[in-house]
């Protein structure tokens, strides 16, 4: 069966063995994050013909399962890969919506340009997530703070070991029911300072959402976890230890006058969709927001003097998470007994309210999927 979404035809090759209602209910009772996956995946292929013309084709929804790749596929050797992350929320009336997918589509293409991958027309991106969610709508949880996490990604599939941009590519979307990212009650988290490792370098891929950036962050993340911290903070060691971002989240500071500060985008920081949304929501609430350089020294001195009243991190998976302590073997900034700040929680509740349909969407950020 073929369906049309956003002007693109998706062939429906639905699974012959989907999870039963009982199996699905058991998973949704305690989904965790990234542990389980729905019955289907959306796929669109790209290839370059003999005349050198490239194009996207064969859009389809098929059963979730292993991907068959040649051992010489470019993604396995040269890391030509990018991805995105967004969520589908079930509203009170049972309808299903997602948040700012056009921004994710635009960022995917920004990443594609940096990794020498073909850009994906927005209609394919939006069509793929819509078709997948419609096929797997029963997987969208309805619990407080729960959602269906969507992971669009693009990989170079051409079987070729020469060092050049691949001429065969696959765009895919998979979905995973998600609970609270850090689990349980929302409490301020502890963050480890990475002194030895950098997440990205100038002129590199820091502004792209690609797997290599995350692979490079894992050793620092392991160090953080070994020291009882949930996340790691990366600094620009060649720029006065300027704050960059966490392993997978952007950082915000709430000043004592109620204004917000977040590190300015420098080419080494990912432009988070949640980050840009927090900036707008804060402005809607009458707060000033500055995007500027902020150093580790300013963080330390600001907490000590009270100039910095609250610190939080934001990203698609966790939305907004308060930060209690920043530390390493020589530093201890903040308090392990800190409670989530009022401004942090007010912005979080406003943003989550828009996403889940309990607060009016005055910016047209929501897109209905089912």
């Amino acid at each position: 069966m073929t369906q049309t979404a956003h002007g693109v035809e998706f062939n429906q090759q639905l699974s012959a063995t989907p999870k039963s209602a009982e199996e699905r209910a058991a998973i949704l009772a305690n989904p965790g994050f990234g542990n389980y996956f729905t019955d289907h995946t959306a796929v669109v292929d790209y290839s370059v013909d003999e005349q050198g013309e490239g194009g996207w084709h064969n859009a389809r929804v098929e059963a979730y399962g292993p991907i068959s790749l040649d051992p010489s596929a470019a993604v396995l050797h040269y890391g030509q890969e990018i991805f995105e992350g967004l969520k589908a929320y079930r509203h009170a009336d049972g309808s299903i919506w997602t948040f700012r997918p056009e921004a994710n589509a635009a960022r995917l293409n920004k990443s594609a340009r940096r990794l020498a991958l073909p850009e994906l027309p927005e209609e394919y991106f939006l069509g793929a997530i819509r078709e997948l969610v419609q096929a797997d709508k029963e997987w969208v949880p309805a619990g407080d703070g729960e959602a269906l996490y969507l992971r669009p990604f693009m990989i170079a599939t051409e079987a070729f070991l020469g060092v050049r941009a691949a001429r065969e590519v696959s765009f895919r979307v998979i979905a995973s029911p998600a609970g609270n990212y850090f689990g349980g009650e929302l409490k301020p988290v502890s963050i480890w300072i990475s002194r030895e490792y950098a997440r990205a370098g100038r002129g590199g891929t820091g502004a792209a959402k690609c797997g290599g950036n995350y692979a490079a962050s894992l050793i620092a993340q392991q160090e953080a976890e070994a020291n009882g911290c949930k996340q790691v903070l990366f600094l620009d060691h060649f720029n006065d230890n300027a704050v960059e971002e966490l392993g997978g989240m952007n950082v915000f500071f709430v000043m004592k006058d109620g204004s917000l500060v977040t590190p300015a985008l420098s080419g080494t920081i990912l432009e988070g969709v949640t980050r840009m949304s927090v900036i707008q929501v804060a402005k809607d609430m009458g707060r000033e927001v500055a995007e500027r350089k902020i150093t580790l020294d300013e963080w330390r001195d600001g907490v000590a003097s009270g100039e910095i009243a609250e610190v939080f991190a934001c990203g698609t998976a966790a939305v907004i998470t308060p930060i209690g302590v920043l530390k390493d073997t020589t530093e201890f900034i903040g308090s392990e007994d800190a409670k989530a700040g009022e401004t942090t929680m007010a912005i979080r509740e406003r943003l989550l309210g828009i996403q889940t349909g309990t607060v009016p969407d005055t910016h047209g950020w929501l897109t209905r999927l089912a």
Side-chain angles (χ1 to χ4, degrees), residues 271-286:
E271 185 177 5
V273 175
T274 307
R275 175 188 182 276
M276 66 174 73
S277 303
V278 166
I279 290 172
Q280 185 58 60
V281 166
K283 289 179 178 178
D284 292 345
M285 297 169 69

Side-chain angles (χ1 to χ4, degrees), residues 102-123:
E102 299 86 358
N104 290 98
R107 189 174 62 179
L108 182 88
N109 282 334
K110 181 178 179 181
S111 298
R113 290 191 293 272
R114 181 62 184 84
L115 273 292
L117 286 162
E119 293 186 42
L120 179 77
E122 183 183 273
E123 60 266 27

Side-chain angles (χ1 to χ4, degrees), residues 39-252:
D39 296 308
H40 298 93
T41 179
V43 187
V44 190
D45 297 323
Y46 175 91
S47 58
V48 176
D49 62 23
E50 294 179 356
Q51 287 72 44
E53 297 294 327
W56 293 95
H57 56 89
N58 195 20
R60 61 197 184 275
V61 173
E62 62 186 27
Y64 181 93
I67 299 172
S68 178
L69 285 175
D70 192 284
S72 66
V75 66
L76 302 176
H77 300 271
Y78 306 124
Q80 215 182 349
E81 176 270 353
I82 57 176
F83 67 97
E84 275 298 320
L86 64 164
K87 288 179 176 178
Y89 299 87
R90 188 179 296 280
H91 287 192
D93 63 358
S95 61
I96 301 167
W97 301 72
T98 192
F99 181 75
R100 305 192 74 175
E102 299 86 358
N104 290 98
R107 189 174 62 179
L108 182 88
N109 282 334
K110 181 178 179 181
S111 298
R113 290 191 293 272
R114 181 62 184 84
L115 273 292
L117 286 162
E119 293 186 42
L120 179 77
E122 183 183 273
E123 60 266 27
Y124 279 100
F125 185 96
L126 299 178
I129 62 173
R130 183 187 297 274
E131 291 300 301
L132 177 59
V133 169
Q134 288 186 352
D136 287 337
K137 59 188 176 185
E138 300 304 323
W139 282 92
V140 182
D144 184 37
E146 296 180 337
L148 183 67
Y149 182 80
L150 305 173
R151 171 52 62 86
F153 63 100
M154 188 186 297
I155 58 174
T157 56
E158 183 181 7
F160 178 73
L161 290 181
V163 183
R164 61 159 170 76
R167 295 170 183 164
E168 293 178 8
V169 169
S170 179
F171 170 74
R172 295 171 176 261
V173 186
I174 57 176
S176 174
N180 188 302
Y181 186 71
F182 288 116
E185 181 185 348
L186 184 68
K187 297 179 180 179
V189 297
S190 298
I191 306 295
W192 184 256
I193 306 168
S194 178
R195 298 286 190 179
E196 183 177 356
Y197 304 106
R199 176 186 168 275
R202 302 200 177 198
T205 59
K209 197 168 178 66
C210 62
N213 292 343
Y214 292 78
S217 76
L218 294 180
I219 188 170
Q221 179 66 29
Q222 287 179 327
E223 189 178 72
E225 292 171 357
N227 286 276
C229 294
K230 292 286 190 180
Q231 270 281 356
V232 61
L233 171 74
F234 290 101
L235 305 170
D236 184 344
H237 302 297
F238 303 99
N239 186 24
D240 303 322
N241 280 332
V243 174
E244 295 225 302
E245 62 174 278
L246 306 187
M249 305 175 77
N250 295 114
V251 183
F252 278 83

Side-chain angles (χ1 to χ4, degrees), residues 11-22:
N11 186 43
Q12 304 286 306
Q13 304 167 12
L14 299 185
S15 173
T17 57
K19 290 282 194 302
S20 68
E22 292 76 17

